[in-house]
């Protein structure tokens, strides 16, 4: 109960959202005119209001970098996608502080053996995985001019907040972001805040771009 109280107290304060981002761009400046046409997949249209919320978050992030939606005369075509799942038993993954097991290692005797052992302790929380993808194509040539993705794994999740932050992170540095993988950190004043207070980008180890999978439920 004491641990739960500390965790809840932390939720009410400042929170840092770490997004793993990969961006690739051939743009030298913001498209002229700064407009885009949003192209949704049939499966996304079929989700109806459920996906409309994601669209609104993507539109807000695109507006934040100076792009306005114009489905009749957009200079670029925008395609978006999101993923949502949780990682079951993630508290058992190597390196987790909740992992009750030891690991394999060499001992003073012969062969392999267990080091450490199993102890009684509470199971840890499962990780939530969220990811977004955004692609911009030139409306005339159909060539991809901007490709970016952002992903997030943590025990805390609020989809309306996280997806907006992920789209903002994916567009960090637009139209000429650092190429390849990096980490973008966003600081929230409270978990329910829809607008990030601040964000910064830093190089990160290579990560795998998000690929279309399960839709948010």
């Amino acid at each position: 109960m004491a641990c739960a109280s500390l965790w809840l107290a932390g939720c009410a304060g400042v929170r840092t959202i770490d997004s793993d981002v990969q961006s690739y761009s051939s743009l030298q400046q913001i498209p002229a005119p700064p407009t885009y046409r949003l192209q949704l997949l049939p499966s996304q249209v079929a989700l109806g209001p459920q996906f409309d919320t994601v669209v609104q978050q993507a539109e807000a992030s695109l507006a934040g970098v100076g792009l306005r939606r114009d489905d009749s005369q957009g200079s670029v075509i925008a395609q978006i996608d999101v993923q949502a799942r949780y990682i079951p038993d993630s508290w058992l993954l190597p390196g987790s502080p909740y992992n009750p097991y030891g690991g394999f290692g060499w001992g003073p005797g012969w062969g392999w053996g267990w080091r450490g052992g199993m102890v009684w302790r509470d199971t840890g929380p499962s990780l939530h995985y969220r990811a977004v993808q955004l692609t911009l194509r030139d409306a005339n040539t159909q060539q991809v001019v901007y490709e970016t993705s952002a992903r997030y794994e943590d025990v805390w999740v609020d989809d309306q907040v996280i997806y907006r932050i992920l789209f903002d992170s994916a567009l960090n540095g637009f139209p000429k972001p650092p190429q390849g993988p990096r980490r973008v950190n966003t600081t929230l004043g409270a978990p329910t805040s829809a607008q990030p207070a601040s964000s910064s980008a830093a190089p990160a180890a290579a990560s795998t771009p998000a690929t279309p999978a399960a839709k948010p439920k």
Side-chain angles (χ1 to χ4, degrees):
M1 291 180 64
C3 291
S5 298
L6 289 173
W7 185 82
L8 290 173
C11 289
V14 175
R15 179 180 297 278
T16 298
I17 304 299
D18 299 323
S19 306
D20 291 317
V21 178
Q22 289 198 74
S23 302
Y24 302 91
S25 174
S26 61
L27 294 173
Q28 298 302 313
Q29 59 187 6
I30 295 178
T35 56
Y36 66 93
R37 172 166 62 90
L38 186 62
Q39 186 178 76
L40 298 179
L41 299 174
S43 58
Q44 295 172 335
V45 175
L47 290 173
Q50 184 178 358
F51 200 76
D52 289 344
T53 301
V54 174
V55 170
Q56 293 168 6
Q57 292 160 333
E59 289 177 345
S61 295
L62 286 164
V65 296
L67 293 179
R68 175 175 54 86
R69 181 173 177 178
D70 185 343
D71 289 340
S72 60
Q73 296 182 340
S75 61
V76 293
I77 300 172
Q79 293 177 302
I80 62 174
D81 199 10
V82 299
Q83 299 178 43
R85 66 176 183 267
Y86 78 97
I87 306 174
D89 297 330
S90 53
W91 58 278
L92 289 174
L93 294 175
S96 170
Y98 296 96
N99 191 335
Y101 303 104
F104 284 108
W106 286 104
W110 295 96
W112 290 92
W114 283 102
R115 55 178 172 85
M118 186 168 64
V119 296
W120 292 101
R121 67 199 312 180
D122 291 335
T123 60
S126 294
L127 291 176
H128 295 272
Y129 176 93
R130 298 293 184 267
V132 303
Q133 282 185 298
L134 172 66
T135 303
L136 298 179
R137 288 188 289 119
D138 185 279
N140 295 321
T141 65
Q142 299 299 308
Q143 295 295 313
V144 174
V145 294
Y146 198 91
E147 176 191 0
T148 187
S149 64
R151 68 180 186 179
Y152 162 88
E153 292 181 5
D154 206 334
V155 297
W156 177 83
V157 68
D158 181 332
D159 283 346
Q160 288 195 347
V161 176
I162 293 301
Y163 282 128
R164 173 61 194 278
I165 289 176
L166 287 176
F167 279 119
D168 281 349
S169 298
L171 287 166
N172 180 275
F174 181 87
K176 298 175 65 176
Q179 303 289 294
R182 68 191 189 280
R183 173 155 291 189
V184 177
N185 303 317
T186 303
T187 301
L188 294 176
T192 56
S193 173
Q195 296 290 341
S198 62
S199 62
S200 60
S207 58
T208 304
T211 54
K215 305 298 178 184
K217 298 183 179 179

